[in-house]
């Protein structure tokens, strides 16, 4: 069999060889049998060698050409090369994120465009000949290259991005003013506008925002808290998305309708009557977020309007006054939520007003909440600015359903908790669909056993528990060490608990040790259930993680003892010579991005040489 295979391969090779020789006028027989034309002299021998080298070079070039042709024919059958050009361009747009207001990557757009153009000659031609792929103007682009980018974009709607990018802050700061001045004459072609300049009081910024932008659809502006603008010239463009962060506008100057997203974070908001009018004129609205803003509710309409928003999925009303929240909640009608966040400003809200009033405003939205939960969404509940957070993950991987409410003190917490229990049931059939849940008693919480511990009994399958309490976590720890007897069955509170964080300071060391001994000290290494006579003991699951930074007198020796008792390898926190953080210091914790990658400098000359000028 092997001999036959070798013979077949040899015959095929000889056939290809002879075919190439015949096509190119080469006499391959001479090379196959050198004795046919033995040289008579040194000159003839040299000529024969030269002829052979020319023949081999020709054969090599022909072979490479045939390989390239074969690969090209093979590539023609690849799925992506069977797609229409328009579909491939759409895929390129999605890869490049050319329609996004805020780039998700620190890599400049032109660098990503170069990467696509480098794949093959067909993609290089497609990138070079598609104006819409060039219609993204970024402040990272050196001024010398902007005219070329604008020319290649031709008449395509432009996406403007002026904002910092990791590793390119120097280029951005140097080019931002020049960039802004160069794009102002193109205002009639702007489709999206992302502005996050280094100093928001620059004259070019005011000029940019006050230009007439007839085809503008998406805006994201970030300021420094002092910037106030008369935006969008006249007439107001038909915006689809408006996102303002830390800036304000003259709302009497803006006529908004047909919005799909409205986000105002730490920015001045329209009056309630004007806001409701905007919502009334935007039946396609999908996202509404008002956060850390002062909404004027003095002109709230006496008669509650009925605003039907069938597409609204994400609603966030955080840190604004309760009267404004109440007016909005009473007015809107929604089919199903993906995100619902309600957090009245605790300072602006009248402390004598019972929170139950807001519960009444939520009554007509209960079917939308229940529809989201029964549809397999996760459920995220935040009660109180720092008092309680619950995250429930169901068996599906659908987007999270979130509900939060900011309450001041146990009385409001109690009333709202009872309202939730009567409207949202996690027991019975719901419990089987809850894969895991996490509970956090937030920063500064004063634990009330009558309220907070009821929540631990209300939510099944709790796997993670965090405490940031002022008065320590000792009472909660004692609660978790209780054994529950149901007939002949014995189990513990939160039996699936695998991750705990005792950050409430001060928490007694002896309580933590008792927690470890009572829950895990006698636990068998194998099955979590065991029978002792007629008693069936269901032991809690093995602990995977423990944070002890709020525990007094914690030492490295005690940590080793906890590891031995619980079997938990990951125990972190302050112990030994470290000092635990005070509650005031918790507020100062921030995100450290010192390790952010620096991408180096761009080589835009390569980009334009690659796709052509």
């Amino acid at each position: 069999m092997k001999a036959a295979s070798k013979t077949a391969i040899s015959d095929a090779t000889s056939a290809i060889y002879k075919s190439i020789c015949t096509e190119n006028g080469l006499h391959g027989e001479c090379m196959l049998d050198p004795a046919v034309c033995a040289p008579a002299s040194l000159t003839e021998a040299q000529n024969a060698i030269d002829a052979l080298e020319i023949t081999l070079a020709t054969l090599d070039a022909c072979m490479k050409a045939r390989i390239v042709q074969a690969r090209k024919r093979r590539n023609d059958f690849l799925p992506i090369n069977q797609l229409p050009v328009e579909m491939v361009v759409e895929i390129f747009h999605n890869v490049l994120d050319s329609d996004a207001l805020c780039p998700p990557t620190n890599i400049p757009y032109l660098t990503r465009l170069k990467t696509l153009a480098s794949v093959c000659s067909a993609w290089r031609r497609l990138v070079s000949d598609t104006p819409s792929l060039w219609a993204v103007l970024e402040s990272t682009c050196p001024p010398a290259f902007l005219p070329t980018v604008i020319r290649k974009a031709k008449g395509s709607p432009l996406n403007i991005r002026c904002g910092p990018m990791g590793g390119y802050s120097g280029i951005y700061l140097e080019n931002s003013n020049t960039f802004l001045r160069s794009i102002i004459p193109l205002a009639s072609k702007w489709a999206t506008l992302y502005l996050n300049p280094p100093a928001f009081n620059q004259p070019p910024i005011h000029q940019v925002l006050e230009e007439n932008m007839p085809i503008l659809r998406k805006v994201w502006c970030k300021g420094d808290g002092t910037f106030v603008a008369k935006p969008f010239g006249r007439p107001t463009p038909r915006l689809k998305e408006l996102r303002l962060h830390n800036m304000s506008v003259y709302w009497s100057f803006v006529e908004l309708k047909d919005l799909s997203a409205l986000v105002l974070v730490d920015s001045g908001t329209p009056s309630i009557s004007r806001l409701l009018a905007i919502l009334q004129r935007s039946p396609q609205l999908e996202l509404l977020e008002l956060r850390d803003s002062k909404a004027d509710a003095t002109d709230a309409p006496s008669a509650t309007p009925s605003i039907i928003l069938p597409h609204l999925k994400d609603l966030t009303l955080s840190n604004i006054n309760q009267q404004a929240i109440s007016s909005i909640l009473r007015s809107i009608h929604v089919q199903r939520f993906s995100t619902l966040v309600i957090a009245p400003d605790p300072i602006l809200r009248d402390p004598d007003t019972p929170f139950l009033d807001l519960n009444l405003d939520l009554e007509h939205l209960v079917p939308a909440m229940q529809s989201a939960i029964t549809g397999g969404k996760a459920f995220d509940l935040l009660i109180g600015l720092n008092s309680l957070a619950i995250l429930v993950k169901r068996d599906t991987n659908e987007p999270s359903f979130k509900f939060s409410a900011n309450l001041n003190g146990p009385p409001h917490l109690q009333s709202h908790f009872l309202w939730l229990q009567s409207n949202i049931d996690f027991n019975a059939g719901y419990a089987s669909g809850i894969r895991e849940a996490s509970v956090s008693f937030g920063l500064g919480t004063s634990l009330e056993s009558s309220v907070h511990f009821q929540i631990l009994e209300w939510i099944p399958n709790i796997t993670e528990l965090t405490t940031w309490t002022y008065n320590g976590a000792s009472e909660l720890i004692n609660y978790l060490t209780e054994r529950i007897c149901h007939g002949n069955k014995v189990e513990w509170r939160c039996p699936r608990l695998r991750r705990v964080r005792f950050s409430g300071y001060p928490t007694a060391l002896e309580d933590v040790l008792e927690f470890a001994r009572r829950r895990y000290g006698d636990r068998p290494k194998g099955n979590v259930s065991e029978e002792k006579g007629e008693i069936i003991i269901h032991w809690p699951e093995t602990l995977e993680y423990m944070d002890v930074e709020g525990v007094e007198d914690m030492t490295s020796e005690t940590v080793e003892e906890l590891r031995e008792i619980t079997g938990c390898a990951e125990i972190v926190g302050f112990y030994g010579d470290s000092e635990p953080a005070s509650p005031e210091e918790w507020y100062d914790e921030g995100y450290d991005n010192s390790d952010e990658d620096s991408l180096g400098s761009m080589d835009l000359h390569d980009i334009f040489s690659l796709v052509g000028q």
Side-chain angles (χ1 to χ4, degrees):
M1 181 63 72
K2 291 184 178 180
S5 299
K6 289 182 178 180
T7 303
I9 294 173
S10 178
D11 293 343
T13 304
S14 298
I16 295 173
Y17 178 80
K18 289 181 180 179
S19 173
I20 294 175
C21 289
T22 302
E23 289 180 6
N24 293 276
L26 302 174
H27 301 287
E29 293 81 357
C30 295
M31 292 185 295
L32 293 174
D33 188 6
V36 172
C37 53
S41 65
L42 183 61
T43 302
E44 289 184 5
Q46 186 60 48
N47 291 338
I49 292 173
D50 293 342
L52 287 172
E53 289 179 347
I54 294 173
T55 301
L56 289 173
T58 305
L59 287 172
D60 184 65
C62 293
M63 184 69 74
K64 290 180 179 179
R66 287 207 170 195
I67 290 173
V68 170
Q69 185 179 8
R71 288 177 175 170
K72 185 177 182 302
R73 294 192 63 184
R74 181 195 62 186
N75 290 339
D76 290 339
F77 291 100
L78 293 176
I80 191 169
N81 292 325
Q82 300 293 312
L83 297 175
V85 173
E86 296 80 7
M87 189 173 293
V88 177
V89 171
E90 185 64 27
I91 293 173
F92 283 3
H93 276 295
N94 289 331
V95 170
L96 294 167
D97 194 35
S98 60
D99 194 39
L101 286 174
C102 183
T105 173
N106 286 332
I107 304 175
Y109 179 83
L110 288 179
T111 303
R112 286 178 276 152
L113 192 64
K114 173 191 173 184
T115 302
L116 276 179
S118 302
V119 172
C120 63
S121 58
W123 285 19
R124 181 164 60 250
R125 289 192 301 271
L126 184 59
V127 167
S128 181
D129 298 338
T130 305
S132 62
L133 293 174
W134 293 88
V136 176
L137 306 185
E138 285 186 346
S139 54
T140 54
C141 181
F145 291 101
L146 273 175
T148 302
V149 176
I150 295 171
R151 179 176 57 80
K152 293 186 76 66
K154 297 182 179 178
S156 299
L158 298 176
N159 303 293
I160 308 300
R161 298 175 181 171
C162 181
M165 301 177 72
Y168 294 93
S169 56
I171 297 175
Y172 156 67
L173 292 172
E174 181 182 349
N175 296 339
S176 58
N177 277 340
T178 303
F179 173 79
L180 290 171
R181 291 190 178 94
S182 66
I183 63 171
I184 287 175
L186 305 171
S188 62
K189 298 181 180 180
W190 295 348
T192 67
L193 182 62
Y194 169 74
L195 294 177
N196 183 17
F200 214 78
N201 58 355
Q202 297 178 48
I205 293 297
H206 287 271
Q207 188 175 352
V208 166
L209 289 177
E210 294 175 11
E211 287 292 317
N212 289 323
M213 308 171 240
I215 69 169
L216 191 67
R217 293 296 177 265
K218 300 180 182 181
V219 176
W220 186 342
C221 292
K222 304 182 79 170
D224 59 3
T226 61
F227 187 83
V228 180
K230 294 180 178 179
F232 316 132
R234 290 290 186 178
T236 301
R238 297 291 295 275
L239 289 177
K240 292 297 182 182
E241 297 184 15
L242 176 60
R243 303 168 189 258
L244 302 180
H245 291 249
N246 207 23
M247 67 169 291
S248 299
V249 301
Y250 291 107
W251 288 104
S252 59
F253 198 72
V254 182
E255 298 175 1
L256 296 174
K257 60 181 179 179
D258 297 326
L259 289 174
S260 62
L262 176 60
V263 178
L264 304 174
V265 178
D266 202 15
S267 302
T269 61
S271 65
I272 289 301
S273 61
R274 183 175 292 272
L275 177 62
L276 294 178
I278 294 173
L279 300 182
Q280 188 84 57
R281 297 194 300 262
S282 302
Q284 303 299 315
L285 191 70
E286 298 179 6
L287 167 65
L288 175 62
E289 179 177 351
L290 307 178
R291 189 186 299 273
D292 301 321
S293 301
K294 294 182 179 180
D296 182 10
T298 57
D299 66 343
S302 55
T304 303
S306 180
I307 303 175
I308 299 176
L309 301 173
H311 303 285
L312 185 64
K313 298 178 181 178
D314 302 293
L315 175 62
T316 298
L317 305 174
S318 176
N319 206 23
I320 61 177
N321 68 65
Q322 182 175 339
Q323 186 179 357
I325 291 178
S326 180
S327 297
I328 295 172
L329 292 179
R330 286 200 312 266
S331 302
I332 63 174
H333 297 270
V334 183
Q335 295 177 354
R336 173 179 293 189
F337 286 111
S338 292
T339 302
L340 174 58
V341 177
I342 302 173
D345 188 331
I347 299 176
L348 298 178
R349 186 173 60 80
D350 182 358
D352 297 328
T353 302
F355 199 82
L356 191 61
D357 289 346
L358 189 56
N359 294 342
L360 295 175
D361 297 332
L362 287 168
E363 289 290 347
H364 69 287
L365 298 177
V366 168
M369 299 180 201
Q370 293 175 337
S371 177
I373 296 173
T374 55
K377 304 290 184 181
F379 187 87
D380 188 351
L381 169 64
L382 172 64
I383 298 181
L385 183 61
N386 297 302
S387 62
L388 171 67
I390 299 172
L391 173 63
V392 173
K393 298 179 181 179
R394 304 185 67 84
D395 290 333
T396 63
N397 291 321
E398 294 291 328
S400 295
F401 174 81
K402 299 181 179 180
F403 177 84
S404 79
N406 178 9
L407 300 128
N408 265 352
H412 293 149
L413 179 61
Q414 180 80 43
S415 66
H416 196 71
F417 175 62
L418 293 175
W419 181 87
L420 286 170
Q421 281 186 309
S422 62
N423 287 283
I424 300 173
D425 182 17
F426 278 125
N427 298 319
Y430 284 110
S432 61
I434 296 177
R435 182 175 68 252
E436 59 184 54
S438 63
V439 177
S440 175
F441 297 117
L443 184 61
T445 302
S446 180
L447 287 176
E448 295 279 342
S449 58
S450 60
V451 180
H452 296 92
F453 296 171
Q454 289 181 45
I455 293 170
L456 298 181
E457 297 174 1
W458 179 47
I459 304 293
N461 297 340
I462 294 176
T463 59
E464 184 171 2
L465 180 60
T466 299
T467 63
W468 290 86
T469 59
Y470 274 143
N471 54 346
S474 293
E475 187 176 355
L476 175 62
I477 289 173
N478 292 330
Y479 172 82
L480 293 174
T481 58
E482 294 178 7
R483 302 188 183 193
I484 306 171
C485 298
H486 298 289
N488 65 335
K489 296 181 180 179
V490 178
E491 59 184 19
W492 277 254
R493 307 277 188 188
C494 305
R496 293 195 57 196
L497 190 63
R498 297 191 297 270
R499 300 174 63 87
V500 294
R501 185 174 188 178
F502 299 133
S503 300
Y505 185 80
T507 297
L509 173 61
E510 190 56 39
D511 289 335
V512 175
L513 291 173
E514 186 67 14
F515 165 80
R517 296 185 186 112
R518 288 179 61 86
R519 280 184 70 97
Y520 308 102
D522 299 325
R523 184 185 184 280
K525 293 185 177 180
N527 198 338
V528 295
S529 298
E530 65 174 341
E531 296 185 13
K532 291 188 176 181
E534 297 181 354
I535 302 299
I536 301 175
I537 301 178
H538 296 285
W539 291 89
E541 296 190 12
T542 304
L543 200 62
E544 298 174 353
Y545 172 89
M546 177 184 288
D547 189 321
V548 294
E549 66 179 73
V551 181
E552 292 182 304
D553 303 323
M554 182 64 68
T555 63
S556 56
E557 291 79 8
T558 312
V559 169
E560 290 303 320
E561 183 179 355
L562 285 174
R563 286 198 180 101
E564 184 177 352
I565 297 173
T566 62
C568 178
E570 189 175 4
I571 299 180
V572 300
F574 297 98
Y575 51 87
D577 296 330
S578 301
E579 290 293 333
S582 65
E584 292 76 13
E585 292 173 320
W586 292 338
Y587 287 105
D588 298 330
E589 292 186 353
Y591 173 70
D592 181 12
N593 60 355
S594 58
D595 294 331
E596 184 176 316
D597 291 337
S598 178
L599 298 174
S601 59
M602 295 180 293
D603 189 356
L604 296 182
H605 293 279
D606 290 346
I607 299 175
F608 293 109
S609 63
L610 182 68
V611 299
Q613 296 287 342

